[in-house]
Every structure is written in C-alpha cells, then in structure tokens.
Amino acid sequence: MATLIATTAQAQDGDPARGRTLVANRQQGLCLLCHQAPIPEERFQGNLAPDLAGVGDRYTRSELRQRIMDSSAINPGTIMPSYAKTTGLTRVAPAYRDKPIFTAQQVEDVVAYLTTLRAETK
Ligand code: HEC
C-alpha cells in the first residue's frame, strides 16, 4: 500500500480528456472490453462489468483510484486487472512482468475522467 501511495504522489492532477482517451483505448486500458461507458463513438462495449455511466456519483475520487490501481484488494476474485500493481500477480505475460499497466499519471487521468461521469451527464 505504501508503494502505491508513493507512486501517485509523483503524478500531477489528472486530466479528464486524457483519461477518456485511455478508457476508450482498445490496446492499453481495455476498459470497454468489460464495461460500458458514455463514449458513443466506441462501438461494441462490454457487458461483463457495471456501466461506468454515473460512477462519479457512486464513488469518491480515492475509491475510484483504489479500484483502478488494485481492484483485487476490494474483491480478490475480480476479473478486473490491477492497473498499477506489480506484486502478487499471477498469469502475467512476460512483457508486462514487473511493469504496471498504467503510469501514476495515467491512473490520475482515468480517475479524473471517471469523476466527471455523473448521473446528469448520462
Ligand atoms: C476484464 C474485465 C475488466 C476490465 C478490462 C476492466 N474492468 Fe472495471 N470492473 C470489472 C468488474 C467485473 C467490476 C465489478 C467489480 C468486481 O469485480 O469486484 C469492475 C468494477 C469497476 C469499477 C467500479 C464500478 C461500480 O459501479 O462498482 C470501476 C470504476 C471500474 N471497474 C473501472 C474500470 C476502468 C476505468 C477500466 C479500464 C482502465 C476497467 N475498469 C477495466 C471488470 C473489468
């Protein structure tokens, strides 16, 4: 946990536009493989996980950050990847071993975007 906090401390405030791009990205974030989000230009969104629309009303910024960095800390059985955790993982492809999926800055950008997803913007 201490290391996770240290990594986010190096990041600037998140940028919601960059976060939206990361969430929509099919190579890196892959969020839309499992989730739907209010990103109408992306077709074929997932239905394995809760719709991200309105998620900014359901969780605080730090709760969202926790879910992006290490969802398995909340639900050990989750299928959601840990985007900023490198220890204690199993079945990691060699290219990704010891490397988080997102940088600390990317985590902040995604969190900033998610906080903009309020019910009235659905
Ligand atoms: C492989 C599937 C998968 C991927 C990829 C994935 N998630 Fe998830 N996510 C889930 C599941 C399943 C849950 C439900 C919680 C659980 O499993 O404990 C979840 C929960 C969440 C939650 C909490 C939602 C709620 O309403 O409770 C947020 C926020 C979230 N994910 C954001 C993201 C973001 C942002 C990305 C991409 C950076 C992402 N997820 C990628 C499967 C995924």
Side-chain angles (χ1 to χ4, degrees):
M1 207 45 182
T3 51
L4 297 184
I5 290 161
T7 6
T8 38
Q10 297 156 9
Q12 316 267 309
D13 279 354
D15 176 61
R18 280 199 309 251
R20 187 184 192 278
T21 304
L22 285 165
V23 170
N25 182 295
R26 301 275 181 172
Q27 269 84 49
Q28 193 181 10
L30 282 177
C31 314
L32 301 182
L33 185 71
C34 298
H35 292 273
Q36 291 180 46
I39 301 181
E41 70 275 20
E42 288 295 325
R43 298 174 65 206
F44 310 115
Q45 301 189 8
N47 61 2
L48 299 168
D51 191 335
L52 295 178
V55 80
D57 286 327
R58 296 198 289 277
Y59 297 104
T60 65
R61 187 175 287 269
S62 64
E63 287 168 339
L64 289 167
R65 186 182 293 111
Q66 171 69 65
R67 280 163 176 79
I68 304 309
M69 294 183 80
D70 184 9
S71 199
S72 69
I74 298 158
N75 173 6
T78 190
I79 57 170
M80 178 159 157
S82 296
Y83 284 90
K85 180 185 156 172
T86 56
T87 54
L89 302 175
T90 55
R91 296 182 296 157
V92 177
Y96 292 99
R97 230 160 255 165
D98 299 323
K99 294 189 201 113
I101 303 173
F102 282 165
T103 64
Q105 186 62 56
Q106 289 174 321
V107 170
E108 292 310 303
D109 292 343
V110 168
V111 169
Y113 167 64
L114 295 177
T115 61
T116 69
L117 302 181
R118 317 305 292 241
E120 70 268 22
T121 61
K122 250 189 208 173

